[in-house]
Amino acid sequence: MKKYIVLFAVLAFVTEISAQQNYFNPTVKVKEYLEPAIPHPDQDKEMKDKMSKLKKKPNILIILIDDMGYGDIGVYGGGVAIGAPTPNMDKLAHEGLQLTSTYAQPTCTPSRAAIMTGRIPARSGLTRPTLTGENPKVNPWASENTTAKILSQNGYKSAISGKWHLGESKGSLPNEVGYDEWLGFGSVQSEYAQFVNEWIYPDLINKPERLAAIKKMVDQNILTGKKGGENKIVQPISNIEELSKVDQVFANYSEDFIRRSVKENKPFYLIHSFSKVHNDNYVSEGYKGKSPAAIPYKDAIVEVDDIVGRLMKLLQDLKIDENTLVFLTSDNGPNEDVWPDGGYTPFRGGKGTTWEGGVRVPGIAYWKGMIAPGRISDGLFDICDMFNTSLSAAGVVDKIPSSNYIDGVDQLSFFLSDKGVSNRNAVFMYSETKFMAIRWQEYKVHMNVFNTSATRRNLDQSTIQSIGMSPWVYNIYADPKEQLSQGHRYFEWGIPGVMGLIAAHLATYQKYPMKDIGLKKPGAE
């Protein structure tokens, strides 16, 4: 009898632990190489019922803004209140789903890689932005699969318009990694700005030999190309006037691509990738002083908003808004280092950090007639989820190759169910290859933290430090600015469960290791 009492006690303990684990991790693993997701059978059924009524494959338009802060858009607390009205982006949110807990990577290249591959950048190796004249030693795309590549293989016409910044060497440009076509530039706005403004970059521009040497490292042109073909120069970027016009050039191309796709009766996948509002901001003709704030960054926000309005109007004019999934976001938080040429966030930190200000970004999903208007959700969304979600919308989510671990989660049912909730249990945050923090429910738990030693110097003057005995924990609802850790005092009940989530996540690297493509900094650990 004693033996059975002990057995029952053990079983009760195991059951209690199992129940506790289910609370912290209610996800189900469908395939070994896919990130587990929370099952929601009812909203899955609602999603499938809506999708079954479509007469053709839906189009997918991702609008990606560079360095825009969480608080720049009106519906996120910005807009008119901070001197730059955003009526078109506000309208998009009001008529769709506004996500308040969308997470990106701390910097642009990792975020763009995550959107296109569904993978945490530590896995793809695209862990930080490449700098002037720098290219990875190993082509990361040789073993990666982009959304564009998979969709192009399944009847879609795919393109990216605007900024790339994911490698410029042979085999690394968009038309070489799965896109049917593209028009844009290979690097980033600041790369070209440093050659055209002697007031900001006098020690480069005013030294002819230095300037000539550095210019040889940069392809200072807008390029275009098609799959299987060579890239051609569209126009140079050799002065401020030419640089100021690039987003209008990109907008013209996106409109043309959409029109051509409709004319060819082919579903399209398009990433409209803004150059703005990354520093240095030079606005197109007619936008200088157009914002109430009348400063370059705010004028640039107004220009971006107008272009968003143009793209949305085109979908309406072509009568394809009911058959197009639109997702608008930013690739990271605002760059405080270049203030006042940077954006606004109500949170701690900015671009380059894993504080909320660096990684929490706007996220708006719109699909007329499919996504109920006026929804606002704090459900967790990682931008790498757009990989799975785009493929799911296209009906080819089962075509994801098993060669790589996919960190994204299919969120189509979250979008389409009128009362949908997120299928994601946690968001894992990195600085390059170092695990930093996790967001679970309303809690942010840091295992490593950024220490910024000067105001607005998140990129140029910060270090990473390990935490002490207790993780740094913030209840994001009560302390959204992450000002005072309360882990040991108020979250003792949750620390073991969350650390279990982190351990399970890190264990995936045993079979699917990190990729080193040569972007580690010399002398860094």
Side-chain angles (χ1 to χ4, degrees):
M1 188 67 180
K2 198 172 186 182
K3 175 178 167 184
Y4 289 109
I5 292 174
V6 173
L7 179 59
F8 288 144
V10 171
L11 287 173
F13 178 74
V14 170
T15 301
E16 183 181 351
I17 292 296
S18 178
Q20 189 181 36
Q21 287 174 333
N22 287 338
Y23 177 74
F24 283 97
N25 189 9
T27 63
V28 171
K29 183 175 271 298
V30 178
K31 293 181 180 178
E32 185 184 35
Y33 59 92
L34 297 179
E35 180 73 6
I38 304 172
H40 295 113
D42 290 343
Q43 73 181 33
D44 286 347
K45 182 179 182 303
E46 186 178 351
M47 177 267 290
K48 289 175 182 176
D49 288 345
K50 284 188 176 182
M51 293 297 292
S52 68
K53 295 173 184 176
L54 293 180
K55 295 180 181 179
K56 56 174 68 173
K57 293 273 191 181
N59 308 304
I60 299 159
L61 170 60
I62 296 175
I63 300 174
L64 182 58
I65 305 166
D66 200 357
D67 283 10
M68 183 176 67
Y70 183 97
D72 281 332
I73 302 176
V75 293
Y76 287 92
V80 173
I82 58 170
T86 56
N88 293 299
M89 289 187 275
D90 292 348
K91 184 173 186 286
L92 197 66
H94 290 313
E95 296 181 354
L97 167 61
Q98 180 185 349
L99 301 172
T100 62
S101 286
T102 298
Y103 286 89
Q105 297 293 319
T107 53
C108 48
T109 293
S111 284
R112 290 157 196 277
I115 287 177
M116 295 178 199
T117 65
R119 282 156 54 77
I120 287 173
R123 298 191 201 274
S124 66
L126 290 157
T127 55
R128 65 168 176 82
T130 52
L131 305 176
T132 302
E134 182 182 39
N135 272 298
K137 296 176 182 177
V138 176
N139 182 0
W141 300 106
S143 55
E144 295 295 326
N145 296 290
T146 60
T147 317
K149 179 180 179 180
I150 297 171
L151 289 178
S152 292
Q153 293 169 345
N154 289 275
Y156 272 72
K157 189 178 177 72
S158 65
I160 182 167
S161 171
K163 173 185 173 180
W164 177 241
H165 208 195
L166 288 161
E168 299 178 75
S169 57
K170 185 68 176 174
S172 295
L173 287 169
N175 54 326
E176 299 167 317
V177 303
Y179 289 86
D180 292 318
E181 58 182 86
W182 81 296
L183 181 145
F185 50 56
S187 190
V188 59
Q189 175 93 350
S190 55
E191 183 89 313
Y192 311 107
Q194 65 188 349
F195 297 126
V196 301
N197 192 329
E198 65 180 292
W199 293 101
I200 301 177
Y201 308 97
D203 52 336
L204 173 62
I205 294 177
N206 294 333
K207 296 194 173 186
E209 289 185 6
R210 178 179 294 173
L211 181 63
I214 301 303
K215 274 193 169 187
K216 290 179 181 178
M217 301 179 184
V218 179
D219 190 338
Q220 206 176 333
N221 299 289
I222 294 177
L223 305 173
T224 190
K226 293 186 177 181
K227 188 183 292 182
E230 295 295 320
N231 287 297
K232 301 175 183 177
I233 295 174
V234 174
Q235 67 178 59
I237 309 173
S238 56
N239 54 54
I240 289 177
E241 183 181 4
E242 289 170 345
L243 185 58
S244 73
K245 296 176 180 177
V246 295
D247 274 306
Q248 295 298 327
V249 175
F250 302 156
N252 293 340
Y253 171 77
S254 287
E255 288 188 324
D256 178 64
F257 173 80
I258 291 171
R259 291 182 187 279
R260 286 187 286 112
S261 299
V262 171
K263 189 173 182 180
E264 295 171 25
N265 198 29
K266 291 195 72 173
F268 65 80
Y269 171 79
L270 170 64
I271 296 181
H272 182 85
S273 178
F274 279 94
S275 171
K276 292 179 176 67
V277 282
H278 193 292
N279 63 288
D280 303 329
N281 280 288
Y282 308 106
V283 290
S284 303
E285 185 177 353
Y287 285 96
K288 189 176 290 187
K290 190 173 181 180
S291 70
I295 60 177
Y297 183 87
K298 304 295 185 177
D299 292 344
I301 286 287
V302 171
E303 182 176 357
V304 165
D305 188 72
D306 278 1
I307 291 172
V308 171
R310 278 176 59 185
L311 294 175
M312 296 310 299
K313 185 177 184 301
L314 180 61
L315 300 183
Q316 295 165 6
D317 291 347
L318 295 175
K319 295 180 170 54
I320 58 171
D321 50 339
E322 293 186 355
N323 198 51
T324 304
L325 168 61
V326 180
F327 188 76
L328 181 145
T329 193
S330 175
D331 60 355
N332 44 247
N335 188 351
E336 295 186 322
D337 290 54
V338 296
W339 184 88
D341 197 24
Y344 167 65
T345 179
F347 306 120
R348 179 176 181 175
K351 177 181 180 179
T353 76
T354 46
W355 297 113
E356 290 289 277
V359 291
R360 195 165 169 184
V361 295
I364 300 171
Y366 169 88
W367 189 347
K368 185 178 179 180
M370 297 287 278
I371 294 177
R375 286 175 59 203
I376 302 176
S377 174
D378 195 44
L380 297 181
F381 190 90
D382 189 307
I383 59 170
C384 68
D385 295 343
M386 279 311 297
F387 174 82
N388 309 61
T389 304
S390 298
L391 296 176
S392 182
V396 294
V397 73
D398 59 330
K399 303 288 187 180
I400 297 175
S402 60
S403 53
N404 292 328
Y405 190 88
I406 303 298
D407 298 280
V409 167
D410 181 359
Q411 298 274 34
L412 191 62
S413 68
F414 175 28
F415 285 1
L416 299 193
S417 175
D418 289 351
K419 295 182 180 180
V421 294
S422 176
N423 299 319
R424 173 171 285 280
N425 187 48
V427 174
F428 303 98
M429 303 173 195
Y430 284 75
S431 175
E432 299 181 64
T433 58
K434 181 179 282 295
F435 179 81
M436 298 293 293
I438 179 174
R439 168 82 190 268
W440 172 79
Q441 297 193 16
E442 70 267 38
Y443 300 97
K444 178 88 168 285
V445 180
H446 296 258
M447 306 306 288
N448 294 283
V449 294
F450 274 89
N451 177 22
T452 302
S453 58
T455 304
R456 298 194 185 103
R457 285 296 177 266
N458 300 306
L459 288 162
D460 282 331
Q461 202 166 312
S462 67
T463 55
I464 293 174
Q465 66 184 60
S466 299
I467 49 94
M469 179 177 289
S470 177
W472 290 18
V473 182
Y474 303 91
N475 182 321
I476 296 299
Y477 288 165
D479 185 10
K481 290 181 178 292
E482 299 172 285
Q483 291 178 316
L484 187 64
S485 174
Q486 302 179 13
H488 181 260
R489 177 68 179 87
Y490 294 113
F491 194 64
E492 188 173 302
W493 60 269
I495 289 176
V498 171
M499 287 200 297
L501 295 177
I502 297 170
H505 165 71
L506 295 177
T508 62
Y509 289 107
Q510 293 176 7
K511 183 167 184 179
Y512 301 94
M514 296 183 181
K515 190 194 302 180
D516 182 3
I517 62 171
L519 291 183
K520 289 183 179 179
K521 296 186 289 290
E525 293 182 3

